Amino acid sequence: MDNEYEIVSMLKEDDGVLISQLIDNDFKKEVLKCEMKRLDELVPFINKGMEDAFNEEEALVLIKKHDPNHKREIKSDNSTFTLRTENGDIVGETITDEEELEELRNDPSVYFLSDNFVTYTNIGMPNQKQFFVMKGETSDFITNKDIDSTVKSLVVAIPSTQTDHYIKDYYNIPHDEDIGTIIIGFTPRC
């Protein structure tokens, strides 16, 4: 069944790819169960990218070794990983621009949760619920190949840690940090 979609075979040919194959509804359900558990955390985690990927007609799993030569284009518009309030205000985000990070280090209204994830203490209202939101990525996140031309649309979803472990266990892949798991939802051209 995988051979009927060019996207699956193109990804199999990418350097470092261990698995590129379509997934069935049972697998999708287990992935969604893992992601839903993240809603019960102190600050709930919503994997919007996974939801969007599974709203496409088909989905595939991609398991791949990290390629240091793959130059990922960073999105400049809106960060893929954000902290939002229940009103939708962005109160935290990943920043990759070094100059912007340097400026933010000197801003007293900014708090760093990690080297490049900042929160803004002057945005949002006290006692508002907050949620981490992970949006989907584009194909350049995973490959330099033009896989977009083989489909009508696609969404690249980054699994949470628990889902990543489920996928690796399912395929008997070691929990190596240099091996990544991705779900790609796509709608075929035909």
Side-chain angles (χ1 to χ4, degrees), residues 36-166:
M36 294 297 285
K37 289 178 185 174
R38 301 291 310 269
L39 294 174
D40 295 330
E41 295 177 359
L42 183 60
V43 178
F45 177 91
I46 300 168
N47 196 332
K48 182 77 171 112
M50 194 68 70
E51 179 185 327
D52 292 344
F54 286 158
N55 282 332
E56 297 284 337
E57 288 181 24
E58 296 284 353
L60 67 89
V61 63
L62 180 72
I63 302 176
K64 163 177 193 172
K65 291 182 183 176
H66 173 68
D67 180 2
N69 298 318
H70 173 69
K71 300 297 181 215
R72 179 182 163 233
E73 190 174 315
I74 303 297
K75 288 182 176 180
S76 58
D77 55 349
N78 200 353
S79 181
T80 303
F81 185 59
T82 57
L83 178 63
R84 296 176 181 257
T85 66
E86 58 190 313
N87 292 342
D89 295 327
I90 295 176
V91 294
E93 63 187 332
T94 304
I95 305 290
T96 55
D97 181 88
E98 287 302 322
E99 288 179 26
E100 186 176 358
L101 284 169
E102 197 56 44
E103 286 177 28
L104 291 171
R105 283 187 183 91
N106 298 318
D107 186 335
S109 69
V110 173
Y111 180 77
F112 280 76
L113 291 182
S114 69
D115 290 341
N116 65 347
F117 192 88
V118 299
T119 59
Y120 308 104
T121 58
N122 61 344
I123 300 175
M125 309 236 325
N127 301 323
Q128 271 190 325
K129 282 188 173 183
Q130 295 182 349
F131 307 88
F132 284 108
V133 178
M134 175 68 80
K135 290 174 39 181
E137 283 281 356
T138 57
S139 64
D140 58 358
F141 181 78
I142 54 165
T143 185
N144 292 322
K145 292 182 179 178
D146 182 19
I147 60 173
D148 295 271
S149 68
T150 68
V151 295
K152 282 184 187 174
S153 60
L154 69 80
V155 177
V156 175
I158 303 165
S160 65
T161 303
Q162 185 174 359
T163 305
D164 174 74
H165 290 175
Y166 168 77

